[in-house]
């Protein structure tokens, strides 16, 4: 924790420790609490704090604003995109590891199904 000058923290003006790290910001993000069970009573959505640099916070806020999104919605979109990227990378790897015999068998089976569908349509 940084020690604060006589006037207190530069953000909160409080003399109590605030956790500012000189260049580290705190983002408040709403997290959907559905499905979570706990003995404590939580509201439908909870807020959590993550530490990021001021530069990253500003970039994320600008990106969210450009798309008309809240910061939480923008971070959700980024997480979804990363999940999709990882799934496609795993698929590409699996396709690359497929033997030529299995690929040929798959191509024949696909052709059989497609011709069956066309015959049923007429």
């Amino acid at each position: 924790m940084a020690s604060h000058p006589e006037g207190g923290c530069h953000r909160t003006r409080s003399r109590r420790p605030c956790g500012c790290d000189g260049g580290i910001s705190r983002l408040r993000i709403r997290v959907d609490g559905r499905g979570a069970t706990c003995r404590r009573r939580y509201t439908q959505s909870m807020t959590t704090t993550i530490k990021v640099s001021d530069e990253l916070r500003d970039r994320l806020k600008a990106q969210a604003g450009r798309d008309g999104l809240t910061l939480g919605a923008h971070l959700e979109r980024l997480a979804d995109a990363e999940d999709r990227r990882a799934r496609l990378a795993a698929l590409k790897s699996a396709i690359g590891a497929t033997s030529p015999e299995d690929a040929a068998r798959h191509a024949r089976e696909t052709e059989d199904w497609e011709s069956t569908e066309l015959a049923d349509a007429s």
Side-chain angles (χ1 to χ4, degrees), residues 1-4 9-11 18-26 51-54:
M1 303 266 168
S3 61
H4 298 298
C9 174
H10 64 285
R11 275 188 253 162
C18 69
C20 69
D21 296 332
I24 300 293
S25 296
R26 293 177 183 266
K51 288 186 177 186
V52 298
S53 69
D54 289 340

Side-chain angles (χ1 to χ4, degrees), residues 54-117:
D54 289 340
E55 294 169 353
L56 178 57
R57 179 206 58 209
D58 293 344
R59 283 179 57 204
L60 290 169
K61 287 175 89 173
Q63 291 170 356
R66 189 175 52 226
D67 295 336
L69 299 172
T70 64
L71 188 55
H74 181 60
L75 290 172
E76 183 177 5
R77 183 186 278 183
L78 291 174
D80 290 345
E82 175 56 23
D83 289 344
R84 182 174 189 273
R85 188 207 59 78
R87 282 192 313 273
L88 291 176
L91 177 62
K92 182 179 180 179
S93 176
I95 290 171
T98 302
S99 70
E101 297 82 24
D102 286 342
R105 189 171 33 247
H106 174 67
R108 283 191 305 274
E109 184 176 338
T110 300
E111 187 177 305
D112 288 345
W113 278 108
E114 287 175 350
S115 65
T116 301
E117 291 173 4

